[in-house]
Amino acid sequence: MRMKETPKNWLKKIERIAKLKGTPVFILDHEKIRQNYKEFKTALPRVQAYFAVKANSNPEIVKTLYKIGASFDVASFPEFMVVYQNIKKLPAKKRQDFIWDKIIYANTIKRIETLHELDQYKPLVTYDNIEELKKIVKHAPHAGLVLRIRVPNTGSMVELSSKFGASPGEAVDLIIEAFKLGIVVEGISFHVGSQCNNFENYMQALQISASIMKEAASRGHRIKILDIGGGFPVKYNNKVKSFKLLAKKLNAEFERLFPKDIEILAEPGRFMVANAATLVTKVIGKAVRDSKPCYYLDDGVYHTFSGIVFDHCTYPLKAFKDGEKKVSAVFGPTCDAFDTISVAEVLPDLEIGDLLYAENIGAYSIASSTYFNGFPPAKIVHINK
Ligand SMILES: *Cc1c(COP(=O)(O)O)cnc(C)c1O
């Protein structure tokens, strides 16, 4: 265990790392990841956590989470291999003995080539329509199935439900069709969308899942797994509702709506990694435009700040130094005006070479960084690994 760190010591530490390693630098604290996992498991003891790798696919995160008992949700064959290659040499805990207990392939649309590659691992894969079902039966006959259903997602920051999910009305038919084709439906899944701040979505999704399971059972097909997806909100600000409250509501509904022996799994992505990373970036240029100070940084929207676009997220920038503050504009390093981090950031007067940092930037950030304009993604430094 590390010593309790004061905020001041922490700032000194990340400043030292930035000076030593150069910027932009993405500092990933593995102790935070372990704390997040523990918080999740403590609040939801019946739920096995399958970390959604797409939130941050760094292999070191996979190793850290696997060692403390997590499983994984992958969205592509490369992500599947990141998990598979990194955990195969590590000792398994009891729950992790079978491939299904390690990995779920939760992208409902899969290339035929991907199905061929996956089949040898007897994977657990999701589907939500008849065409995909036929593809799986033909090209990955050793897979187990999870039917993804469509659920309400109003109030989530990132909307994912409109693209995927069988409507509740067609769900039972899709289950029966699979069994007819000789493949087993192991579970039902949903995803309420990311950073879900409307807990009613989960409640309605559980209700829908329970009624589909009941109907399937009455027609001779008992479903063993309930997969409640991701969406667990991160406390970016005070408007975000408490995860503990959500967990309490979920636990009560598990008891009320489902058989005792059902296996429950979840796919938390953001929750495990968002607060585990801090970015340190440098002022590389400076100008005054329309009497507003403008700063140009060595990281931007095409890189670690990609979450501003794809994740509808903001990352307040903070300086290491004090001083009178002014509303300033902050830009990334590329030649595109789109590369604007903020047009109204409150910052002290900065010089070229000064450092800034952004916290809570661990999820959906570096994962979508590009090489646009030839600038590579930020370098990653792991601490407390
Ligand atoms: C992206 C995704 C997740 C992870 O969502 P978070 O909001 O990061 O927890 C989980 N399940 C599915 C199917 C996803 O697409």
Side-chain angles (χ1 to χ4, degrees), residues 4 44 135 155 266 293 359 367 379:
K4 195 116 190 91
L44 294 166
K135 249 162 68 189
E359 297 166 301
K379 57 179 93 52

Side-chain angles (χ1 to χ4, degrees), residues 52 54 73 106 148 191 194-195 230-231 267-270 364:
K54 76 168 186 282
D73 155 6
R148 165 104 172 245
H191 182 46
S194 206
Q195 186 67 6
E267 303 162 348
R270 181 190 306 281
Y364 305 110

